[in-house]
Structures are given as C-alpha cells and as structure tokens.
Amino acid sequence: MRVSADRDVCVGAGLCALTAPGIFDQDDDGLVDVVTPDPDPAQQAAARQAGNLCPSGAVRVTE
C-alpha cells in the first residue's frame, strides 16, 4: 500500500489526521502532511478509512 496526498486539493478538514494519526498530520496552515507513505499492515485499515472520509479527495490510497 502507498499513501499520498494532494496538498493543492486539501481543504484542511483534518479527518485524515484524526482517523489515521500515525500516517497523516497537518502543517501550520492545516494542510495534510503524509508522515508514513508506506503504512504497515496494522495501519492500513485506518489509511483506507481516511481516504474514504477526505471531503476534498486529497488523500489517495493505492493498493
């Protein structure tokens, strides 16, 4: 699995960081930062959920 995010599309809702804090964070402007682009198996369900919850579609999860 590979996780990425398009910061140009991000609206700063923060659902990714709340859902998968070990994978995502937010910068000082509230935009998404991917801190773990290659999550371990224990984090993958949270990564998928964060991708599904992102209101702007900025978070991408590739299997």
Side-chain angles (χ1 to χ4, degrees), residues 4-61:
S4 62
D6 185 343
R7 292 172 49 87
D8 292 329
V9 176
C10 180
V11 296
L15 293 174
C16 57
L18 291 172
T19 304
I23 301 170
F24 302 99
D25 198 358
Q26 289 178 284
D27 67 10
D28 292 337
D29 295 323
L31 298 179
V32 62
D33 274 331
V34 178
V35 294
T36 308
D38 187 20
D40 63 46
Q43 297 173 306
Q44 290 180 1
R48 284 186 199 95
Q49 184 176 14
N52 290 331
L53 291 175
C54 180
S56 67
V59 173
R60 291 196 174 84
V61 177

